[in-house]
Amino acid sequence: MKHREKLIIYIWLCSLAIIVLVGVLLCFERPSAEIVQANKDIIEMSEKIRAYYRNRPDYWGLNNSEAIKLNLYVGRMNNNQILNNLNKNVIIGSDINGNQIMPGQHCFMIGYKDLNKKECIELASLYWSEEDKLGLLSVSIQNASGNYEFSWG
């Protein structure tokens, strides 16, 4: 083999090794503290809501304004809107529009609006403990290209 051919193979192998290393490092990238806290907030809000409605037949009437009135939210208020620690709107209700839950409905939705792609991926890919999964029906991601739902119960 000529010296030039060996150099080309060496450069190609080094490039491949760098690509593999970067890929492995990206796979093990830890989510930001804000994302981890946003995940904990979802769990805490769902626990507060379930505790309040535990002795009621359903979640009738639940939406953002009711959650605010009953102090069932986690986060902060800004102009009568609930904001999470990512400074994104939190929606509580029967759907992503925050519609009031009607009689007989036995589940509710907590949504974070306007997440960017990185926040959405990090939040959706966080580990949910078995205990947390018992209180969740699904995790949905909604954007311009469609609605994606990951459900396990």
Side-chain angles (χ1 to χ4, degrees):
M1 247 194 233
K2 294 180 185 176
H3 178 65
R4 183 173 179 207
E5 290 174 349
K6 287 182 181 179
L7 182 62
I8 290 172
I9 292 173
Y10 177 74
I11 290 172
W12 186 82
L13 288 174
C14 287
S15 299
L16 183 63
I18 290 171
I19 290 170
V20 169
L21 180 63
V22 168
V24 168
L25 290 176
L26 287 176
C27 286
F28 293 111
E29 181 180 325
R30 294 191 182 267
S32 67
E34 292 83 13
I35 293 293
V36 172
Q37 186 59 49
N39 182 46
K40 289 178 182 175
D41 290 351
I42 290 172
I43 295 164
E44 187 177 341
M45 271 187 281
S46 64
E47 288 173 353
K48 287 176 88 168
I49 291 168
R50 281 195 307 272
Y52 179 80
Y53 285 92
R54 186 165 285 130
N55 295 323
R56 291 168 176 72
D58 53 32
Y59 294 102
W60 183 20
L62 180 63
N63 63 5
N64 269 35
S65 57
E66 190 71 8
I68 291 167
K69 184 172 86 176
L70 298 171
N71 196 29
L72 300 176
Y73 67 93
V74 176
R76 60 185 177 81
M77 293 293 302
N78 185 24
N79 295 331
N80 238 8
Q81 293 182 332
I82 305 169
L83 297 177
N84 62 17
N85 64 315
L86 299 169
N87 208 30
K88 309 289 181 169
N89 285 335
V90 177
I91 305 298
I92 301 171
S94 65
D95 56 28
I96 195 62
N97 297 317
N99 289 319
Q100 185 178 48
I101 293 180
M102 300 309 290
Q105 194 167 347
H106 298 284
C107 61
F108 58 90
M109 197 247 9
I110 298 173
Y112 289 165
K113 289 191 91 162
D114 304 319
L115 295 175
N116 64 40
K117 185 176 181 178
K118 184 177 188 294
E119 292 167 336
C120 188
I121 290 170
E122 285 185 356
L123 193 57
S125 63
L126 281 177
Y127 172 77
W128 295 87
S129 73
E130 291 302 315
E131 182 180 343
D132 297 338
K133 281 194 239 181
L134 289 174
L136 291 174
L137 181 61
S138 66
V139 173
S140 298
I141 299 170
Q142 186 176 27
N143 61 21
S145 65
N147 187 28
Y148 310 95
E149 187 166 322
F150 307 93
S151 61
W152 50 81

